Amino acid sequence: MALLKSNKVIYCLGNISPALGVLSTRNSSWWGGVQMGPPDPILGVSEAFKKDTNPKKMNLGVGAYRDDMGKPFVLSCVRKAEAIITTKQMDKEYLGIGGLGEFSKSCAQLALGADNEVMKSGRYITVQTISGTGSLRIGANFLARFHGGPRDVYLPKPSWGNHTPIFRDAGMELKAYKYYDPSTCGFDFKGALDDISKIPEHSVIMLHACAHNPTGVDPKPEQWKEISDIVKKRNLLVFFDMAYQGFASGDIDRDAWAVRYFIEQGHNILLSQSFAKNMGLYGERVGGFTVVCNDAEEAKRVESQLKILIRPIYSNPPMNGARIAATILNTPDLRSLWLEEVHGMANRIIKMREQLAAGLIKEGSSKNWQHVIDQIGMFCFTGLKPEQVERLTKEFSVYMTKDGRISMAGVTSGNVGYLAHGIHAVTK
Amino acid sequence: MRGITVFHSWWGGVQMGPPDPILGVSEAFKKDTNPKKMNLGVGAYRDDMGKPFVLSCVRKAEAIITTKQMDKEYLGIGGLGEFSKSCAQLALGADNEVMKSGRYITVQTISGTGSLRIGANFLARFHGGPRDVYLPKPSWGNHTPIFRDAGMELKAYKYYDPSTCGFDFKGALDDISKIPEHSVIMLHACAHNPTGVDPKPEQWKEISDIVKKRNLLVFFDMAYQGFASGDIDRDAWAVRYFIEQGHNILLSQSFAKNMGLYGERVGGFTVVCNDAEEAKRVESQLKILIRPIYSNPPMNGARIAATILNTPDLRSLWLEEVHGMANRIIKMREQLAAGLIKEGSSKNWQHVIDQIGMFCFTGLKPEQVERLTKEFSVYMTKDGRISMAGVTSGNVGYLAHGIHAVTK
């Protein structure tokens, strides 16, 4: 951010002294002071991977599911839904600002359960958003405008990299609570409770509903209960990020347990959902943002303000992905097929974890790799140090982010042995 | 709010916001049971039966895309490369020196609104000049919150002359000549929304001169390329002229109307730079800005648009269909004006024919608009703007009758 501020300084000087010529003639430039920004940490991984000519190279940076041949996977239920939509020859009229009604409703139902008292009473509003990022940003903007509490949003340490600029650019401040324990590659439960107990009242706390990104470390149900208690005691506003429902355990209800428990416990949560991973709809940008309210009347007021916020960002959301998702969720055959396919994707990930751990033992590693199996979801926080990551990339062409995170989705039965070999080589 | 507990409400103080002025029109229209009702608020094209129109070239492009069984992997932050390139080409012309030198960056955006907002955010972060963005008076209603929410300030320059229902050229030049150096000026490239009043080429030339003299940063909003005159090159004339004249413009494009891709949300944001190296720097910063808003844009509409623009048969078909849509609008204008004369109106309705694009600024006053709605079930926005797209050969006579009734 300091870099960006310095651009402004240069421009201000240009304004005061035209002799600097920064803005004064056609041949000088409006954007002369715009610096080259750093590349995205995750995309940078993919770009380096593309350039590598090693036939054994592996891209474990990508947060997108791959099948056992390492290929992108479009779900059958998605293809079937698309065929249905095509036969209907639907128009392309604007959706409302809050998006496709059938989608928003089924999106909320998926998270909360159709029998949830919140669904029945209507004391919520769900708007269709531009996948998970768009949902989080709408939430962040909403908080910045309407939250009467402190500006601070507490993220687990570590959290998804993009959380920080999302909240910051929206005008909120970022803080953190202990979460990951590097000494166990597991959950620092005591540290988390300790930090959370000190968060100022009415602050916003972000919780990953399941399959924590980047660590794969999730609290157990008993731990969630204690977290709920302390959050309630501190009167914190809970913002759940659920990007992996169904993808974590393979069971959509099990993965939504924490969200549903918190609501039962009286937390009126904010919730971001994404269908990028669990429906493989990545580039279609399908997501939802939900505010659980006191009652339906409050939900109407909140809805009106969400619309006022959304309209000058993108007017209304893209229709295609929402139609696909709604068709799947609301067509019994397709919904069943989807649940099977999600289960299948989650299972393949789990199998790869088992094979990787077994492979490391077979290589003769003396280290404890239990966390590879214990961690949940697409990502595994290996515990590798930056130097080890660098060696793994340079010597074995295994690409991953510097924090030691690997996407298990990029692992196949064909390359898991090679990966185990490489990890062992750099850690023995 | 400070004393609240979890059992009180986080959102107790959130007020019910006012409904969107344009959507409010559609909602009231829906409730009306009059069989002769007309919705002239909607800014979406309708065919002569009053039905939404999906272009043939779009259906064909969709069929091609379906046969390819493409994956759904994330696009890059800046979107689909084939789309962004053809989007810029459409606006600037393939032979444009800007295209050849690569001294531009175009990112795929969430239609026109998304493009304008990215531009507004970019200005707020990187523009060294004043915070003020000068809009024509009047402008599209959503321009104001777009720039304001991004952190810019809004000002206006004279544009529409209510006494002529035409362009206040003298007033515009006068106001523009007083805009502080390095401010941002927004120009509607063609088919001004809401008035339909566009400057003539000679007038654009003078505007370019005075804008250059004042050293203003030009931001073009081109939401109707092809839709205004029926000819995409003619509609882009002002944009291309300004670039030739040395303005390094910002440009927002939408494919909502000209390709009928409304709900697919297809658009582009372009920054014309000094050189390709600068374009790379600007691109990197646009990505940093976009990533925490929505990460990357939706693929479907961009694939459709790119397929159409880059497949010669489909591109030709598209140009015909755009021409057809623009022609129907022009015909409805002629029929409406003729109808008003036939009704015996003594008023001057020349502006109905002279104004360009989807919208017509009728000149009706709010009380007249209210009567038109109450007595004839003709729905439109309070400023007297009607969407000609909602007019058909079947209802133009009724509309003329109603307008005459409230204005005689």
Side-chain angles (χ1 to χ4, degrees), chain A residues 352-371:
Chain A
M352 289 302 101
R353 289 180 178 279
E354 289 164 0
Q355 288 188 18
L356 178 57
L360 286 158
I361 288 165
K362 202 162 141 210
E363 287 281 331
S365 178
S366 56
K367 309 236 173 295
N368 181 355
W369 296 104
Q370 186 58 34
H371 56 282

PDB file of all heavy atoms in Angstrom, chain A residues 352-371:
ATOM      1  N   MET A 352      -6.097 -39.749  -2.127  1.00  0.00           N
ATOM      2  CA  MET A 352      -4.767 -39.225  -2.447  1.00  0.00           C
ATOM      3  C   MET A 352      -4.008 -38.887  -1.167  1.00  0.00           C
ATOM      4  O   MET A 352      -2.792 -39.094  -1.086  1.00  0.00           O
ATOM      5  CB  MET A 352      -4.869 -37.984  -3.335  1.00  0.00           C
ATOM      6  CG  MET A 352      -5.305 -38.262  -4.762  1.00  0.00           C
ATOM      7  SD  MET A 352      -4.223 -39.422  -5.626  1.00  0.00           S
ATOM      8  CE  MET A 352      -5.186 -40.937  -5.507  1.00  0.00           C
ATOM      9  N   ARG A 353      -4.717 -38.394  -0.175  1.00  0.00           N
ATOM     10  CA  ARG A 353      -4.069 -38.100   1.095  1.00  0.00           C
ATOM     11  C   ARG A 353      -3.484 -39.378   1.690  1.00  0.00           C
ATOM     12  O   ARG A 353      -2.338 -39.420   2.143  1.00  0.00           O
ATOM     13  CB  ARG A 353      -5.072 -37.498   2.086  1.00  0.00           C
ATOM     14  CG  ARG A 353      -5.518 -36.081   1.746  1.00  0.00           C
ATOM     15  CD  ARG A 353      -6.518 -35.558   2.790  1.00  0.00           C
ATOM     16  NE  ARG A 353      -6.923 -34.187   2.524  1.00  0.00           N
ATOM     17  CZ  ARG A 353      -6.199 -33.124   2.853  1.00  0.00           C
ATOM     18  NH1 ARG A 353      -5.019 -33.258   3.449  1.00  0.00           N
ATOM     19  NH2 ARG A 353      -6.657 -31.903   2.587  1.00  0.00           N
ATOM     20  N   GLU A 354      -4.298 -40.412   1.654  1.00  0.00           N
ATOM     21  CA  GLU A 354      -3.855 -41.698   2.220  1.00  0.00           C
ATOM     22  C   GLU A 354      -2.651 -42.225   1.448  1.00  0.00           C
ATOM     23  O   GLU A 354      -1.674 -42.680   2.028  1.00  0.00           O
ATOM     24  CB  GLU A 354      -5.010 -42.705   2.196  1.00  0.00           C
ATOM     25  CG  GLU A 354      -6.115 -42.373   3.200  1.00  0.00           C
ATOM     26  CD  GLU A 354      -7.420 -43.111   2.913  1.00  0.00           C
ATOM     27  OE1 GLU A 354      -7.477 -43.884   1.925  1.00  0.00           O
ATOM     28  OE2 GLU A 354      -8.390 -42.899   3.676  1.00  0.00           O
ATOM     29  N   GLN A 355      -2.728 -42.122   0.129  1.00  0.00           N
ATOM     30  CA  GLN A 355      -1.624 -42.637  -0.690  1.00  0.00           C
ATOM     31  C   GLN A 355      -0.359 -41.817  -0.503  1.00  0.00           C
ATOM     32  O   GLN A 355       0.758 -42.354  -0.545  1.00  0.00           O
ATOM     33  CB  GLN A 355      -2.027 -42.673  -2.169  1.00  0.00           C
ATOM     34  CG  GLN A 355      -3.039 -43.772  -2.468  1.00  0.00           C
ATOM     35  CD  GLN A 355      -3.305 -43.967  -3.950  1.00  0.00           C
ATOM     36  OE1 GLN A 355      -2.521 -43.528  -4.798  1.00  0.00           O
ATOM     37  NE2 GLN A 355      -4.414 -44.614  -4.279  1.00  0.00           N
ATOM     38  N   LEU A 356      -0.524 -40.516  -0.312  1.00  0.00           N
ATOM     39  CA  LEU A 356       0.657 -39.675  -0.115  1.00  0.00           C
ATOM     40  C   LEU A 356       1.326 -40.010   1.215  1.00  0.00           C
ATOM     41  O   LEU A 356       2.555 -40.178   1.287  1.00  0.00           O
ATOM     42  CB  LEU A 356       0.282 -38.197  -0.168  1.00  0.00           C
ATOM     43  CG  LEU A 356       1.431 -37.201   0.076  1.00  0.00           C
ATOM     44  CD1 LEU A 356       2.573 -37.420  -0.931  1.00  0.00           C
ATOM     45  CD2 LEU A 356       0.929 -35.758   0.014  1.00  0.00           C
ATOM     46  N   ALA A 357       0.515 -40.132   2.245  1.00  0.00           N
ATOM     47  CA  ALA A 357       1.067 -40.466   3.561  1.00  0.00           C
ATOM     48  C   ALA A 357       1.747 -41.832   3.516  1.00  0.00           C
ATOM     49  O   ALA A 357       2.863 -42.013   4.014  1.00  0.00           O
ATOM     50  CB  ALA A 357      -0.041 -40.444   4.615  1.00  0.00           C
ATOM     51  N   ALA A 358       1.079 -42.791   2.877  1.00  0.00           N
ATOM     52  CA  ALA A 358       1.654 -44.137   2.757  1.00  0.00           C
ATOM     53  C   ALA A 358       2.950 -44.088   1.957  1.00  0.00           C
ATOM     54  O   ALA A 358       3.942 -44.752   2.294  1.00  0.00           O
ATOM     55  CB  ALA A 358       0.648 -45.075   2.101  1.00  0.00           C
ATOM     56  N   GLY A 359       2.936 -43.296   0.909  1.00  0.00           N
ATOM     57  CA  GLY A 359       4.115 -43.162   0.067  1.00  0.00           C
ATOM     58  C   GLY A 359       5.304 -42.599   0.820  1.00  0.00           C
ATOM     59  O   GLY A 359       6.444 -43.003   0.621  1.00  0.00           O
ATOM     60  N   LEU A 360       5.042 -41.628   1.684  1.00  0.00           N
ATOM     61  CA  LEU A 360       6.129 -41.018   2.457  1.00  0.00           C
ATOM     62  C   LEU A 360       6.726 -42.031   3.428  1.00  0.00           C
ATOM     63  O   LEU A 360       7.951 -42.071   3.621  1.00  0.00           O
ATOM     64  CB  LEU A 360       5.600 -39.791   3.201  1.00  0.00           C
ATOM     65  CG  LEU A 360       5.357 -38.571   2.307  1.00  0.00           C
ATOM     66  CD1 LEU A 360       4.371 -37.595   2.919  1.00  0.00           C
ATOM     67  CD2 LEU A 360       6.685 -37.871   1.996  1.00  0.00           C
ATOM     68  N   ILE A 361       5.867 -42.848   4.025  1.00  0.00           N
ATOM     69  CA  ILE A 361       6.357 -43.901   4.926  1.00  0.00           C
ATOM     70  C   ILE A 361       7.205 -44.886   4.119  1.00  0.00           C
ATOM     71  O   ILE A 361       8.305 -45.274   4.515  1.00  0.00           O
ATOM     72  CB  ILE A 361       5.182 -44.594   5.620  1.00  0.00           C
ATOM     73  CG1 ILE A 361       4.575 -43.653   6.663  1.00  0.00           C
ATOM     74  CG2 ILE A 361       5.641 -45.905   6.286  1.00  0.00           C
ATOM     75  CD1 ILE A 361       3.213 -44.078   7.164  1.00  0.00           C
ATOM     76  N   LYS A 362       6.716 -45.255   2.956  1.00  0.00           N
ATOM     77  CA  LYS A 362       7.429 -46.201   2.094  1.00  0.00           C
ATOM     78  C   LYS A 362       8.797 -45.664   1.679  1.00  0.00           C
ATOM     79  O   LYS A 362       9.764 -46.416   1.531  1.00  0.00           O
ATOM     80  CB  LYS A 362       6.559 -46.452   0.853  1.00  0.00           C
ATOM     81  CG  LYS A 362       6.873 -47.763   0.147  1.00  0.00           C
ATOM     82  CD  LYS A 362       5.727 -48.177  -0.779  1.00  0.00           C
ATOM     83  CE  LYS A 362       6.352 -48.765  -2.069  1.00  0.00           C
ATOM     84  NZ  LYS A 362       5.536 -48.569  -3.243  1.00  0.00           N
ATOM     85  N   GLU A 363       8.864 -44.345   1.469  1.00  0.00           N
ATOM     86  CA  GLU A 363      10.147 -43.728   1.108  1.00  0.00           C
ATOM     87  C   GLU A 363      11.149 -43.810   2.262  1.00  0.00           C
ATOM     88  O   GLU A 363      12.337 -43.590   2.076  1.00  0.00           O
ATOM     89  CB  GLU A 363       9.945 -42.259   0.735  1.00  0.00           C
ATOM     90  CG  GLU A 363       9.267 -42.038  -0.604  1.00  0.00           C
ATOM     91  CD  GLU A 363      10.215 -42.203  -1.781  1.00  0.00           C
ATOM     92  OE1 GLU A 363      11.428 -41.943  -1.637  1.00  0.00           O
ATOM     93  OE2 GLU A 363       9.746 -42.624  -2.869  1.00  0.00           O
ATOM     94  N   GLY A 364      10.612 -44.077   3.464  1.00  0.00           N
ATOM     95  CA  GLY A 364      11.495 -44.183   4.627  1.00  0.00           C
ATOM     96  C   GLY A 364      11.530 -42.915   5.460  1.00  0.00           C
ATOM     97  O   GLY A 364      12.431 -42.742   6.289  1.00  0.00           O
ATOM     98  N   SER A 365      10.552 -42.054   5.271  1.00  0.00           N
ATOM     99  CA  SER A 365      10.546 -40.807   6.030  1.00  0.00           C
ATOM    100  C   SER A 365      10.309 -41.080   7.508  1.00  0.00           C
ATOM    101  O   SER A 365       9.464 -41.900   7.877  1.00  0.00           O
ATOM    102  CB  SER A 365       9.469 -39.861   5.513  1.00  0.00           C
ATOM    103  OG  SER A 365       9.457 -38.689   6.303  1.00  0.00           O
ATOM    104  N   SER A 366      11.090 -40.408   8.339  1.00  0.00           N
ATOM    105  CA  SER A 366      10.918 -40.592   9.778  1.00  0.00           C
ATOM    106  C   SER A 366       9.996 -39.524  10.366  1.00  0.00           C
ATOM    107  O   SER A 366       9.701 -39.529  11.558  1.00  0.00           O
ATOM    108  CB  SER A 366      12.288 -40.517  10.458  1.00  0.00           C
ATOM    109  OG  SER A 366      12.890 -39.277  10.122  1.00  0.00           O
ATOM    110  N   LYS A 367       9.548 -38.594   9.538  1.00  0.00           N
ATOM    111  CA  LYS A 367       8.702 -37.515  10.034  1.00  0.00           C
ATOM    112  C   LYS A 367       7.252 -37.983  10.224  1.00  0.00           C
ATOM    113  O   LYS A 367       6.841 -39.008   9.687  1.00  0.00           O
ATOM    114  CB  LYS A 367       8.718 -36.332   9.051  1.00  0.00           C
ATOM    115  CG  LYS A 367      10.121 -35.880   8.655  1.00  0.00           C
ATOM    116  CD  LYS A 367      10.317 -34.403   8.948  1.00  0.00           C
ATOM    117  CE  LYS A 367      11.747 -33.958   8.726  1.00  0.00           C
ATOM    118  NZ  LYS A 367      12.688 -34.590   9.664  1.00  0.00           N
ATOM    119  N   ASN A 368       6.520 -37.199  11.009  1.00  0.00           N
ATOM    120  CA  ASN A 368       5.123 -37.515  11.246  1.00  0.00           C
ATOM    121  C   ASN A 368       4.268 -36.878  10.151  1.00  0.00           C
ATOM    122  O   ASN A 368       4.223 -35.656  10.033  1.00  0.00           O
ATOM    123  CB  ASN A 368       4.707 -36.969  12.627  1.00  0.00           C
ATOM    124  CG  ASN A 368       3.256 -37.299  12.946  1.00  0.00           C
ATOM    125  OD1 ASN A 368       2.514 -37.847  12.107  1.00  0.00           O
ATOM    126  ND2 ASN A 368       2.832 -36.972  14.153  1.00  0.00           N
ATOM    127  N   TRP A 369       3.647 -37.674   9.314  1.00  0.00           N
ATOM    128  CA  TRP A 369       2.819 -37.153   8.228  1.00  0.00           C
ATOM    129  C   TRP A 369       1.327 -37.382   8.475  1.00  0.00           C
ATOM    130  O   TRP A 369       0.517 -37.332   7.553  1.00  0.00           O
ATOM    131  CB  TRP A 369       3.240 -37.795   6.889  1.00  0.00           C
ATOM    132  CG  TRP A 369       4.641 -37.441   6.506  1.00  0.00           C
ATOM    133  CD1 TRP A 369       5.739 -38.249   6.596  1.00  0.00           C
ATOM    134  CD2 TRP A 369       5.097 -36.172   6.015  1.00  0.00           C
ATOM    135  NE1 TRP A 369       6.863 -37.572   6.178  1.00  0.00           N
ATOM    136  CE2 TRP A 369       6.500 -36.280   5.810  1.00  0.00           C
ATOM    137  CE3 TRP A 369       4.472 -34.958   5.701  1.00  0.00           C
ATOM    138  CZ2 TRP A 369       7.283 -35.228   5.325  1.00  0.00           C
ATOM    139  CZ3 TRP A 369       5.253 -33.911   5.211  1.00  0.00           C
ATOM    140  CH2 TRP A 369       6.650 -34.056   5.033  1.00  0.00           C
ATOM    141  N   GLN A 370       0.965 -37.579   9.732  1.00  0.00           N
ATOM    142  CA  GLN A 370      -0.436 -37.823  10.063  1.00  0.00           C
ATOM    143  C   GLN A 370      -1.336 -36.677   9.597  1.00  0.00           C
ATOM    144  O   GLN A 370      -2.486 -36.879   9.212  1.00  0.00           O
ATOM    145  CB  GLN A 370      -0.579 -38.027  11.584  1.00  0.00           C
ATOM    146  CG  GLN A 370      -1.976 -38.423  12.040  1.00  0.00           C
ATOM    147  CD  GLN A 370      -2.476 -39.698  11.404  1.00  0.00           C
ATOM    148  OE1 GLN A 370      -1.708 -40.627  11.125  1.00  0.00           O
ATOM    149  NE2 GLN A 370      -3.770 -39.763  11.118  1.00  0.00           N
ATOM    150  N   HIS A 371      -0.766 -35.483   9.613  1.00  0.00           N
ATOM    151  CA  HIS A 371      -1.595 -34.327   9.259  1.00  0.00           C
ATOM    152  C   HIS A 371      -2.055 -34.374   7.804  1.00  0.00           C
ATOM    153  O   HIS A 371      -3.094 -33.808   7.460  1.00  0.00           O
ATOM    154  CB  HIS A 371      -0.851 -33.013   9.537  1.00  0.00           C
ATOM    155  CG  HIS A 371       0.474 -32.900   8.847  1.00  0.00           C
ATOM    156  ND1 HIS A 371       1.611 -33.540   9.299  1.00  0.00           N
ATOM    157  CD2 HIS A 371       0.835 -32.229   7.734  1.00  0.00           C
ATOM    158  CE1 HIS A 371       2.627 -33.239   8.493  1.00  0.00           C
ATOM    159  NE2 HIS A 371       2.190 -32.458   7.532  1.00  0.00           N
TER     160      HIS A 371
END
